[in-house]
Amino acid sequence: MASIKALVTVFFISISINSYSQNIKPFKNILNAKRINKAYKTSSFNDTTWRTYLGILKDNKRKSKYYVIKEFNKIRAGSTWHGHSSIYFFDMKRKLAAFVYVPMPDNLPYKLYKNNFYFKYIERGKVKEFKSQMFTPLPKMFCSRINECDEIILP
């Protein structure tokens, strides 16, 4: 079971690193514009991607460290669609510093404010909010829900 999980992880990493290298221009355009919470959509017959600039992650001395972009991508696979959700951290020179895959689009934050990532989710029919604080240097894990964390990957 562990070997299958490792194989699947390696597969998704190789796909996204390849797709990232092919789509670097949209990230540069978003980083240059720096319009917080503006979604940028690109689409073709086989895929659609929404990228949103969330803001800047700062260190404890309030010095800017990372630009943060969230992304949801859906890809056509035969007669169905598959989605991928990611968060990218770019250094101040606009180079990819780290990224994290989250399991569902609901695990993407809707805003970043004072190093806090904000998430909305539904529990027992009620909309709730989860706040996850992050400091620099980046931790090994990114938590998008209570007891739901994913590994931060360095390229």
Side-chain angles (χ1 to χ4, degrees):
M1 180 69 174
S3 62
I4 292 173
K5 187 175 180 180
L7 182 63
V8 168
T9 301
V10 169
F11 173 73
F12 282 117
I13 289 171
S14 65
I15 287 174
S16 57
I17 289 173
N18 184 34
S19 67
Y20 171 79
S21 63
Q22 294 171 359
N23 295 321
I24 195 159
K25 187 175 179 181
F27 285 110
K28 286 185 179 182
N29 292 340
I30 294 167
L31 290 170
N32 288 336
K34 291 187 217 162
R35 295 185 60 197
I36 293 176
N37 289 331
K38 167 128 174 55
Y40 296 85
K41 180 181 173 184
T42 57
S43 60
S44 70
F45 179 75
N46 290 318
D47 71 358
T48 304
T49 302
W50 293 266
R51 293 183 182 102
T52 305
Y53 174 71
L54 292 174
I56 296 175
L57 190 64
K58 299 181 179 188
D59 66 10
N60 58 4
K61 296 178 184 174
R62 307 293 297 154
K63 184 176 178 186
S64 298
K65 288 294 186 179
Y66 300 103
Y67 297 108
V68 183
I69 293 177
K70 70 176 180 177
E71 175 185 80
F72 175 68
N73 177 266
K74 68 176 189 171
I75 301 168
R76 183 184 306 273
S79 62
T80 188
W81 292 87
H82 296 276
H84 303 281
S85 304
S86 308
I87 302 165
Y88 296 95
F89 299 90
F90 293 87
D91 65 20
M92 293 294 101
K93 294 180 181 178
R94 295 179 170 87
K95 303 280 187 213
L96 181 64
F99 56 95
V100 61
Y101 299 111
V102 294
M104 300 294 288
D106 293 346
N107 294 93
L108 290 171
Y110 72 89
K111 79 176 179 179
L112 169 63
Y113 180 71
K114 293 186 179 180
N115 286 21
N116 288 295
F117 288 90
Y118 290 84
F119 305 86
K120 288 183 182 175
Y121 65 99
I122 298 173
E123 184 177 285
R124 295 183 183 144
K126 294 184 179 181
V127 176
K128 294 192 174 189
E129 185 176 80
F130 175 72
K131 179 172 70 170
S132 179
Q133 192 169 40
M134 185 177 286
F135 296 101
T136 62
L138 293 173
K140 293 182 180 187
M141 302 299 281
F142 179 87
C143 298
S144 59
R145 298 281 188 281
I146 297 170
N147 300 323
E148 284 188 39
C149 301
D150 299 288
E151 181 180 5
I152 293 180
I153 301 166
L154 304 174

